[in-house]
Amino acid sequence: MLEMIYLDPLFAIEVVVSGLLSGIMYSLVALGFALIFKASGIFNFAQGAFVLFAALTLVSLIEGALFGVKLPLLLAAAVTLVIMVVYGMAVERLVLRPLINQSLIILFMATIGLNFFTEGFAQMLWGAQVKRLDLGIPEKPWEGLRLATGITLSVFELVAAAIAGVLVLGLTLFFSKTTTGRALRAVSDDNQAAMSVGIPLQHIWAVVWAVAGIIALVAGMLWGAKLGVQFSLSLLALKALPVLIIGGFDSIVGVIVAGLIVGASEKFAEVFVGPYFGGAIENWFPYVLATVVLLIKPQGLFGEKIIERV
Amino acid sequence: MIYRESGQFKTSYAADQAMFPIRQDRIFIALLLVAAVAVVPVVVSEYAIRSILMPFLILSIAAIGLNLLLGYCGLISLGTAAFMAVGAFSAYKLATGIPDLPIVLNFILAGLVTAVVGMAFGLPSLRIKGFYLAVTTLAAHFFVEWTITKFGWFTNYSPSGVISAPPLDVFGIAIDSTTEKYWFVLAWVLVLAVLAKNLVRSSVGRAWMAVRDMDVAAAVIGVPILKTKLLAFAVSSFYCGIAGALYVFAYIGTVEPQAFDLNRAFQVLFMVIIGGLGSILGSFFGAAFIVTLPIFITLAAAPFGGQIPAEVLSNLELIIFGILIVFFLIVEPLGLARLWQIGKEKLRLWPFPH
């Protein structure tokens, strides 16, 4: 199949670009992971379930699950935002605060428990059937681009990419310019040192979990509109893992770049290399890629170098 | 009072190194064995044996396997289900390819195949650890899943990808009733559990724990890191492979690759965490807890009759499962094995406070 690249270079470009765009969508989910990991060293396995919860809540509010009032999209998004922030903070308060000073594996386990809880809770509250989410962004090719270059790209994916870009920019500014953001970085470097200079650790963690809830909402909206709001959204977490590994757990920029790499290479491998192996290699290809990256650069492409011998 | 060891003197090294140094423990274990071998098949209904005891016993083997890796050697793995699948499918291939092969030998070979696969995927553990290792073992999981579903050779070209285990027969004795299968599984569990217990008490186990606690220090005192970690992966995968083979041959009979999905890996992981990291006994506790939990939830919902729709019930199960795991981790991060230990200490002093 590799000869197809020469035969139809435009198609190859299209594959790579659409891969890049879906890669940005992976980055969106992975961002939530990276944020919490950066601030508290916790690998939050429940982030995928958060995405599901946010998307289900949003759709149900739009469909009028709350007192039969059908909320418009923006209002529903605002209400969902509040719910996600409260949920994130509640998680911090009820699950993580009692587990302070436990080893990381215990915290990881706790987030797996949280993952089960959130999945069950979301589906019990709002029902488990597949729902359609319409954001009003057309899912059709961008005519202008197609006429100019012959490349077919969906408007929706471009908008999604733009939203992801804005989110990353916002987070980067938040981390580098605001007091809270700087405190957050201090906490991630060394939480005891941060506490000793008077940074309220628990307050900071609450902020982080709230922000993770917000990112989950954005990811849930975009993925929900793309795939339909359903249980499989929570499996996105598994797609985000290799992205995290390749980018380095604690780097926001790394996550975006890695998302692009994973998205593009996975599509490319599936279309051009997959047929040699009987197809469907999309599922494990990112993981193998991540393993290879780990063997060469254990801290990921952009991760902070940990001086630790293994 | 009940648990006092006063008056029990050890007069030989053998007595000092016994697996159960205290007489009460020996009596208890002996009674438990008699109950498990002779009383259970008579008293417990066939249905309960099939649906509760069998998965409990088989999954405890997998839990012991993971505990050796995670609890003793400190290497986290999410590939348990994949290794179980490797064991199951290689036992199947061996049984259909060489029908004359004795089943015990078949299972051991299947376990060895799994050990080799496990070692291959354990190689990255030399350079990475923690969550990073979890992700590379996830790579193992997805790769194995894909290989088994993609290549018909593994399922003897069964169109649905489902395999049916041939009938069991041990040295000419057919094993087909539930009770016989139960004994068969129990025998494996006993042998493997004793083996694991002795393994962790020996120099191998001490090397694992040294690597777990601080790998640099272990290297300094002369523990070969490479060999130790790979051995942990090999032994752990061997156990998981045998568990997978038993799962198909003695428990389910007919199995599709989806029986070994990621949820299975998490299930075994929870068994190890809730049972207690670094405790063979804990693996049994954890397995018992996780296997019986859904049954208890269903029982608790029973008084509400049909009022709770099945869909809500399954979500409720997820919720309660999640809450219980978090609760356990907060209250007793060292697991049920630690509670057991505390209980024994209490019994030792009872009825005196100190």
Side-chain angles (χ1 to χ4, degrees):
Chain A
M1 293 300 137
L2 277 172
E3 69 274 6
M4 272 168 63
I5 302 172
Y6 309 112
L7 297 178
D8 193 354
L10 219 54
F11 177 61
I13 294 175
E14 206 175 293
V15 167
V16 170
V17 174
S18 89
L20 285 176
L21 292 176
S22 64
I24 290 199
M25 304 275 278
Y26 294 148
S27 311
L28 266 181
V29 183
L31 258 182
F33 284 96
L35 190 71
I36 291 181
F37 191 85
K38 198 172 162 60
S40 51
I42 298 170
F43 182 80
N44 176 26
F45 194 80
Q47 188 67 24
F50 277 25
V51 172
L52 173 73
F53 184 45
L56 268 180
T57 311
L58 181 70
V59 172
S60 306
L61 287 176
I62 292 173
E63 287 182 355
L66 202 67
F67 313 120
V69 189
K70 293 194 177 177
L71 299 176
L73 178 66
L74 279 179
L75 191 57
V79 175
T80 313
L81 192 78
V82 174
I83 293 177
M84 289 315 290
V85 167
V86 171
Y87 191 69
M89 287 170 143
V91 164
E92 192 277 325
R93 182 77 192 81
L94 297 174
V95 178
L96 294 158
R97 205 173 290 183
L99 285 173
I100 281 182
N101 285 337
Q102 294 291 354
S103 69
L104 286 178
I105 170 117
I106 299 288
L107 291 167
F108 174 56
M109 291 298 128
T111 63
I112 298 181
L114 182 66
N115 182 56
F116 282 111
F117 174 80
T118 312
E119 279 173 4
F121 184 63
Q123 296 192 72
M124 197 164 82
L125 212 56
W126 308 119
Q129 52 282 61
V130 181
K131 295 190 174 90
R132 228 176 63 80
L133 174 64
D134 188 8
L135 296 179
I137 311 168
E139 175 85 53
K140 59 167 201 265
W142 182 12
E143 284 301 320
L145 183 75
R146 199 171 64 84
L147 292 176
T149 60
I151 298 173
T152 325
L153 285 180
S154 131
V155 177
F156 178 81
E157 283 180 333
L158 289 170
V159 173
I163 293 177
V166 171
L167 200 63
V168 171
L169 200 67
L171 279 177
T172 313
L173 287 178
F174 172 69
F175 273 117
S176 54
K177 300 286 178 211
T178 65
T179 319
T180 319
R182 286 195 191 127
L184 236 153
R185 274 163 57 207
V187 168
S188 82
D189 274 351
D190 186 335
N191 54 38
Q192 276 188 346
M195 266 159 92
S196 62
V197 295
I199 293 169
L201 191 60
Q202 288 164 348
H203 171 74
I204 292 293
W205 279 11
V207 171
V208 171
W209 282 85
V211 176
I214 295 170
I215 294 176
L217 172 64
V218 177
M221 276 166 84
L222 292 173
W223 276 102
K226 194 177 176 180
L227 301 177
V229 177
Q230 54 180 325
F231 182 72
S232 66
L233 280 185
S234 69
L235 301 179
L236 283 174
L238 294 175
K239 277 278 186 212
L241 269 175
V243 174
L244 272 175
I245 292 284
I246 293 172
F249 266 100
D250 48 9
S251 163
I252 303 279
V253 182
V255 162
I256 299 298
V257 176
L260 294 175
I261 293 174
V262 166
S265 63
E266 145 188 301
K267 277 274 163 7
F268 192 80
E270 177 69 39
V271 174
F272 295 111
V273 187
Y276 293 114
F277 299 100
I281 64 174
E282 229 175 340
N283 268 339
W284 56 264
F285 181 78
Y287 281 94
V288 174
L289 193 68
T291 309
V292 172
V293 169
L294 273 181
L295 287 176
I296 300 164
K297 256 180 100 82
Q299 71 277 15
L301 295 180
F302 294 88
E304 219 164 287
K305 197 162 173 81
I306 322 151
I307 303 170
E308 181 183 38
R309 240 193 70 111
V310 181
Chain B
M1 282 300 262
I2 305 169
Y3 213 74
R4 276 282 150 94
E5 67 269 40
S6 58
Q8 301 178 23
F9 302 111
K10 293 162 191 154
T11 48
S12 64
Y13 283 117
D16 195 38
Q17 292 179 340
M19 195 178 290
F20 300 104
I22 300 169
R23 192 184 298 130
Q24 287 90 330
D25 270 343
R26 284 197 292 272
I27 296 170
F28 176 73
I29 293 292
L31 284 178
L32 194 69
L33 276 183
V34 170
V37 175
V39 182
V40 165
V42 182
V43 180
V44 180
S45 75
E46 207 167 282
Y47 172 75
I49 292 183
R50 210 168 36 222
S51 62
I52 302 174
L53 283 176
M54 292 287 255
F56 157 64
L57 288 173
I58 292 169
L59 290 174
S60 22
I61 297 180
I64 292 175
L66 183 61
N67 214 335
L68 291 178
L69 188 65
L70 176 61
Y72 287 95
C73 202
L75 300 168
I76 182 167
S77 161
L78 291 175
T80 319
F83 297 144
M84 283 176 78
V86 172
F89 279 79
S90 33
Y92 171 73
K93 280 308 282 186
L94 283 167
T96 50
I98 319 168
D100 293 334
L101 192 70
I103 196 74
V104 177
L105 199 59
N106 175 345
F107 277 21
I108 290 174
L109 282 177
L112 290 177
V113 170
T114 320
V116 171
V117 174
M119 271 159 77
F121 284 107
L123 273 175
S125 70
L126 304 174
R127 261 177 81 78
I128 49 188
K129 57 183 173 187
F131 303 125
Y132 293 84
L133 189 60
V135 172
T136 62
T137 54
L138 266 182
H141 177 87
F142 288 111
F143 188 74
V144 167
E145 201 177 35
W146 176 80
T147 314
I148 289 171
T149 41
K150 209 68 212 178
F151 298 102
W153 184 80
F154 292 102
T155 53
N156 283 348
Y157 302 98
S158 126
S160 51
V162 173
I163 55 168
S164 296
L168 275 177
D169 125 36
V170 180
F171 304 122
I173 310 158
I175 294 189
D176 36 45
S177 78
T178 305
T179 316
E180 283 163 350
K181 283 182 178 168
Y182 166 75
W183 279 327
F184 181 66
V185 174
L186 190 66
W188 278 103
V189 171
L190 289 179
V191 171
L192 289 176
V194 170
L195 190 70
K197 183 78 192 163
N198 279 327
L199 211 53
V200 298
R201 300 186 316 148
S202 68
S203 65
V204 176
R206 285 193 297 274
W208 285 344
M209 286 183 262
V211 170
R212 171 193 68 190
D213 292 339
M214 193 173 177
D215 39 14
V216 179
V220 167
I221 57 168
V223 175
I225 303 279
L226 171 80
K227 226 176 91 191
T228 311
K229 282 187 173 176
L230 282 190
L231 187 64
F233 259 102
V235 174
S236 162
S237 309
F238 180 83
Y239 275 70
C240 293
I242 299 243
L246 282 172
Y247 193 83
V248 178
F249 279 68
Y251 173 45
I252 296 276
T254 315
V255 82
E256 62 216 343
Q258 283 75 34
F260 303 107
D261 63 357
L262 202 54
N263 279 335
R264 175 80 54 210
F266 282 134
Q267 193 187 22
V268 178
L269 189 62
F270 283 137
M271 286 173 183
V272 173
I273 300 287
I274 289 184
L277 282 168
S279 160
I280 302 293
L281 188 66
S283 309
F284 287 102
F285 288 147
F289 183 83
I290 299 288
V291 169
T292 53
L293 184 63
I295 298 165
F296 282 122
I297 292 175
T298 319
L299 279 182
F304 303 100
Q307 288 162 6
I308 305 177
E311 193 192 297
V312 175
L313 200 64
S314 71
N315 284 326
L316 207 61
E317 211 171 280
L318 279 177
I319 292 181
I320 296 176
F321 196 66
I323 291 179
L324 273 177
I325 283 164
V326 173
F327 175 79
F328 251 99
L329 291 174
I330 291 173
V331 177
E332 188 49 88
L334 295 173
L336 293 168
R338 173 80 189 134
L339 289 181
W340 174 256
Q341 213 181 352
I342 294 173
K344 279 203 326 195
E345 284 299 310
K346 287 256 157 42
L347 273 181
R348 188 163 176 247
L349 296 172
W350 183 86
F352 309 112
H354 299 293

